[in-house]
């Protein structure tokens, strides 16, 4: 299908509108005793048993790549340009670093619980068990809705990236191609998801490493007509832009860029060795934050002016406004812009793949807990939650609405995404709070920290810090969307498009409270079930002792020789 019409229905104005919407998303066991009252227990009892368990087909290499490259997407390659324009290079580094620290604490807390309880549903199940079933119901469905609604936009975003090369082919053609690829991936179950993410993550990681080298070469003046740049752009136009308002906007953009990081914990139930894979993967989070985000963003701030007008349209899948592409084009390097546009296309497809995985596993876990229609609990003999996958792919068909191009359709999609806009903040904060409650229950019921196979670096204090940063993120989002333009009054439409998810979550929470008629705010620590689904602690202890008895690796011996006391 070939057409001479604009690359996106309605022309560049509506294209930009879709970009703003997509930019909001920079990019995952049933218990017998949960401390529930009789009403909730009876509701869970009505759930039919699973016909098959999920297959444990994810290997250590899959988990490593999910941790390192899983959340590297349009939020880094495109959204960072918008953040640079709003707050300047210093705000870019500070905000991404603060959010990165929160993500690190959250992932480590999730890893501790996932090693002890490698169950289906992961963080949703932990919230139900350690906090409150009603809050778990609300977070589970909000998270599911988020991934369901994001998939059509990611398909549209991937199609728009093709406009960098071809503008004469209808978007519907590319939507079909990408949707078929996603469906084919699902035929292979979780192993297919793992292999696809493994390959795509390697490509994204190589692109990040290559850009660091290219950026250093550009900054030193080895290519292009700019000459030696150094820290020139930190002085003119300056390290900060837009004052506190600009800083808060960057904080919000940075938070959305890390969406999907929690999928590593969701994959624990399908890992062949969660005790080794999950802790190892969680340790890679720091590498990804420090190297692939902070170093790349620091270089971007050195070689791209924050007042470049092209950055103002850096949203969603607008690859022409990507600071990575802009920096390479300004240096006069001919081929690399095409390569990095391809990398951004791959990154968007990776998020679409994550949409299918995240929503299907969470829906299945909800059904297993009696919080969703029972047919969704079905797992076929190949370990696939078949009905959940089909629902997600069916929702993906909404991407064809992009062919209509009417303003009313765009507004409808904006409000659809508004229903789930804050879901990641609530999920991350709830994971940290669930870890805090788990630790209190672990101590209150006579267990010791020595029995926990993997413990976060900062323990429960890291979870408190992660929870605090989540609250700060919600406050920053509240402020920047209530007052989107500095010096002007509140904008009601902008506020509700960003914050509509909050009342939806509380309505879901209240609805499950009414259904179960359980009005306590949380499960007391002595009633929290720590036994069902608990991994064999004696086995972990034996494995740890066996590993400790092994001779140290060559690297450790070398470090010991270098830093040994004299």
């Amino acid at each position: 299908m070939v057409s001479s019409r604009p690359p996106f229905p309605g022309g560049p104005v509506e294209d930009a509108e879709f970009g703003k919407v997509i930019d909001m998303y920079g990019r995952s066991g049933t218990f017998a005793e949960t401390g529930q009252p009789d009403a909730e227990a009876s509701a869970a009892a009505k759930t039919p048993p699973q016909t098959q368990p999920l297959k444990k087909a994810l290997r250590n290499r899959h988990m490593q790549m999910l941790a390192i490259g899983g959340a590297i997407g349009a939020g880094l390659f495109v959204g960072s340009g918008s953040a640079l324009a709003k707050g300047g290079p210093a705000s870019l580094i500070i905000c991404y670093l603060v959010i990165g620290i929160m993500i690190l604490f959250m992932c480590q807390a999730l890893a501790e619980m996932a090693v002890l309880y490698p169950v289906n549903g992961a963080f949703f199940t932990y919230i139900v068990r350690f906090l409150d079933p009603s809050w778990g119901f609300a977070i589970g469905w909000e998270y599911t809705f988020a991934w369901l609604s994001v998939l059509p936009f990611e398909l549209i975003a991937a199609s728009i990236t093709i406009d960098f090369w071809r503008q004469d082919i209808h978007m519907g053609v590319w939507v079909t191609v990408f949707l078929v690829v996603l469906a084919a991936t699902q035929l292979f179950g979780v192993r297919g998801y793992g292999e696809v993410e493994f390959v795509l993550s390697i490509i994204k990681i190589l692109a990040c490493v290559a850009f660091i080298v290219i950026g250093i070469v550009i900054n030193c003046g080895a290519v292009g007509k700019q000459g030696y740049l150094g820290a020139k752009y930190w002085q003119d136009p300056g390290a900060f832009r837009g004052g506190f308002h600009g800083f808060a906007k960057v904080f919000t953009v940075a938070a959305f860029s890390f969406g999907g990081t929690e999928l590593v914990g969701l994959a624990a139930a399908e890992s062949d060795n969660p005790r080794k894979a999950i802790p190892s993967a969680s340790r890679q989070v720091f590498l990804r934050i420090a190297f692939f985000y902070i170093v790349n963003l620091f270089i971007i701030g050195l070689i791209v002016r924050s007042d470049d007008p092209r950055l103002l349209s850096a949203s969603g899948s607008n690859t022409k406004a990507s600071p990575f592409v802009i920096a390479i084009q300004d240096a006069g390097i001919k081929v690399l812009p095409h390569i990095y546009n391809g990398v951004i296309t791959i990154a968007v497809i990776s998020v679409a793949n994550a949409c299918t995985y995240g929503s299907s596993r969470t829906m299945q876990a909800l059904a297993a807990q009696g919080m969703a229609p029972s047919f969704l609990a079905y797992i076929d003999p190949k370990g696939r939650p078949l009905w959940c996958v089909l629902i997600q792919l069916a929702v993906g068909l909404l991407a064809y609405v992009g062919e209509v191009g009417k303003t009313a359709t765009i507004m409808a999609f904006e409000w659809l995404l508004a229903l789930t806009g804050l879901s990641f903040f609530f999920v991350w904060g709830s994971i940290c709070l669930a870890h805090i409650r788990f630790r209190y229950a672990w101590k209150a019921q006579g267990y010791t920290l020595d029995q926990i196979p993997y413990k976060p670096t900062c323990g429960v204090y890291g979870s408190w810090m992660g929870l605090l940063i989540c609250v700060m993120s919600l406050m920053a989002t509240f402020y920047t969307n209530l007052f989107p333009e500095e010096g002007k009054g509140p904008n009601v439409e902008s506020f509700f498009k960003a914050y509509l998810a909050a009342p939806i979550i509380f309505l879901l929470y209240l609805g499950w409270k009414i259904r179960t008629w359980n009005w306590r705010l949380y499960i007391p620590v002595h009633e929290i079930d720590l036994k069902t689904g608990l991994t064999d602690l004696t086995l972990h202890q034996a494995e740890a002792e066996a590993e400790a008895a092994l001779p140290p690796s060559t690297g450790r011996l070398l470090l010991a020789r270098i830093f040994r006391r004299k």
Side-chain angles (χ1 to χ4, degrees):
M1 295 171 63
V2 180
S3 172
S4 59
R5 64 180 180 79
F8 192 81
V13 175
E14 292 186 8
D15 191 355
E17 288 299 316
F18 258 111
K20 292 177 182 177
V21 178
I22 299 170
D23 184 47
M24 295 175 60
Y25 292 87
R27 270 245 60 339
S28 0
T30 305
F31 297 127
E33 302 173 54
T34 59
Q36 302 177 64
D38 292 340
E40 290 182 87
S42 62
K46 295 177 182 178
T47 306
Q50 303 178 68
T51 54
Q52 299 287 337
L54 291 170
K55 277 199 171 181
K56 295 183 178 293
L58 290 177
R59 297 180 179 175
N60 188 49
R61 63 183 177 89
H62 298 132
M63 301 301 291
Q64 298 299 318
M65 282 300 153
L66 282 174
I68 297 175
I72 298 176
L76 173 63
F77 292 119
V78 182
S80 58
S82 172
L84 178 63
K86 290 173 180 176
S91 295
L92 189 69
I93 299 300
I94 295 170
C95 292
Y96 272 81
L97 184 59
V98 170
I99 296 297
I101 291 171
M102 183 268 288
I103 293 294
L104 175 63
F105 290 145
M106 182 273 297
C107 283
Q108 289 189 335
L110 183 57
E112 177 180 317
M113 295 185 288
V115 170
L116 282 168
Y117 303 95
V119 295
N120 187 23
F123 54 84
F124 153 72
T125 306
Y126 306 145
I127 294 168
V128 169
R129 174 180 273 194
F130 303 138
L131 290 179
D132 176 61
S134 298
W135 187 247
F137 172 82
I139 294 298
W141 272 113
E142 180 69 11
Y143 188 72
T144 300
F145 291 151
W147 284 125
L148 285 171
S149 60
V150 168
L151 179 60
F153 280 95
E154 295 301 335
L155 293 172
I156 292 173
S159 302
I160 294 174
T161 61
I162 307 299
D163 288 344
F164 190 87
W165 300 296
R166 295 285 300 271
Q167 298 185 8
D168 58 339
I169 301 178
H170 279 272
M171 176 191 299
V173 174
W174 298 114
V175 168
T176 303
V177 171
F178 296 135
L179 199 55
V180 168
V181 170
L182 283 179
T185 301
Q186 299 308 311
L187 293 176
F188 298 95
V190 70
R191 187 63 179 271
Y193 166 73
E195 294 295 350
V196 169
E197 284 301 306
F198 180 79
V199 174
L200 298 185
S201 293
I202 288 177
I203 295 173
K204 291 185 287 184
I205 289 167
L206 290 175
C208 288
V209 174
F211 184 80
I212 291 173
V213 177
I214 295 167
I216 292 172
V217 171
I218 294 173
N219 185 260
C220 293
V223 294
K225 301 178 181 179
Q226 301 151 305
Y228 175 73
L229 294 174
K232 174 182 174 182
Y233 295 155
W234 282 61
Q235 299 170 1
D236 178 26
F240 293 94
R241 284 173 58 86
F244 175 76
H245 195 269
F247 183 87
K249 282 188 173 183
V250 177
F251 203 76
T252 302
V253 174
F256 280 111
S257 297
F258 285 96
T261 314
E262 69 291 333
L263 285 172
V264 177
L266 199 62
E270 295 171 269
S271 170
D272 61 355
N273 191 350
R275 179 188 174 271
K276 291 185 178 180
I278 300 299
S280 179
S282 68
R283 294 187 190 103
Q284 304 301 324
V285 173
F286 178 77
L287 174 64
R288 184 187 70 211
I289 294 168
F291 190 73
F292 299 116
Y293 268 86
I294 304 305
V295 175
N296 272 278
L297 293 175
F298 175 69
I299 290 176
I300 283 292
L302 291 177
I303 61 179
V304 178
R305 293 181 63 92
S306 59
D307 60 354
D308 190 318
R310 290 172 292 181
L311 294 175
L312 297 176
S313 57
S315 61
S317 58
N318 188 2
T319 54
K320 295 178 182 178
S322 164
F324 290 74
V325 174
I326 288 172
I328 296 169
Q329 286 178 330
D330 289 348
I333 306 174
K334 299 297 183 182
V335 179
L336 282 179
H338 295 276
I339 294 175
Y340 273 85
N341 184 74
V343 171
I344 294 169
T345 305
I346 287 172
V348 175
I349 294 172
S350 177
V351 179
N353 192 35
C355 289
T356 309
Y357 183 80
S359 65
S360 61
R361 268 55 181 183
T362 308
M363 267 193 287
Q364 195 279 331
L366 281 160
Q369 292 277 3
M371 296 179 174
S374 59
F375 74 92
L376 294 176
Y378 172 72
I379 298 176
D380 73 1
K382 293 186 178 181
R384 300 171 298 191
L386 202 56
W387 287 109
C388 301
V389 171
L390 290 174
I391 288 174
Q392 175 68 89
L393 293 175
V395 173
L397 296 174
L398 290 174
Y400 288 107
V401 176
E403 283 285 1
V404 178
K406 295 181 179 179
T407 303
T409 303
I410 296 175
M411 291 183 63
F413 270 115
E414 287 180 336
W415 286 106
L416 177 64
L417 282 183
L419 297 176
T420 56
L422 296 175
S423 60
F424 289 124
F425 294 130
F426 283 101
V427 168
W428 296 336
S430 297
I431 289 171
C432 292
L433 188 56
H435 179 247
I436 294 167
R437 294 287 299 167
F438 158 74
R439 279 292 190 92
Y440 286 161
W442 191 262
K443 182 179 179 181
Q445 296 186 27
Y447 294 93
T448 64
L449 292 180
D450 294 334
Q451 295 174 283
I452 299 178
Y454 170 76
K455 295 178 282 293
T457 306
C458 297
V460 73
Y461 299 107
S463 294
W464 278 113
M465 181 61 68
L467 180 60
L468 176 63
I469 296 175
C470 275
V471 173
M472 291 171 56
S473 300
L474 287 169
M475 293 171 63
T477 306
F478 183 95
Y479 170 71
T480 56
N481 286 281
L482 185 60
F483 302 98
E485 297 184 39
E486 191 173 12
K488 295 187 178 181
N491 186 317
V492 177
E493 182 179 351
S494 170
F495 172 74
F496 278 105
K497 281 182 179 178
Y499 243 80
L500 188 60
I504 295 297
I505 287 176
F506 286 105
L507 282 174
L508 289 169
Y509 171 77
L510 183 62
W512 193 256
K513 285 287 184 188
I514 294 173
R515 185 182 186 280
T516 59
W517 209 251
N518 170 27
W519 296 98
R520 63 182 180 182
L521 294 177
Y522 54 85
I523 303 172
V525 291
H526 290 285
E527 294 184 24
I528 291 176
D529 176 23
L530 296 177
K531 296 181 180 179
T532 306
L534 179 64
T535 190
D536 189 345
L537 297 179
T538 58
L539 177 61
H540 284 304
Q541 186 176 359
E543 289 180 356
E545 291 174 354
E547 288 178 1
L550 293 173
S553 63
T554 304
R556 289 185 179 180
L557 282 173
L558 181 61
L559 290 174
R561 287 181 179 273
I562 295 173
F563 296 104
R564 68 181 176 181
R565 294 181 180 177
K566 296 183 179 179

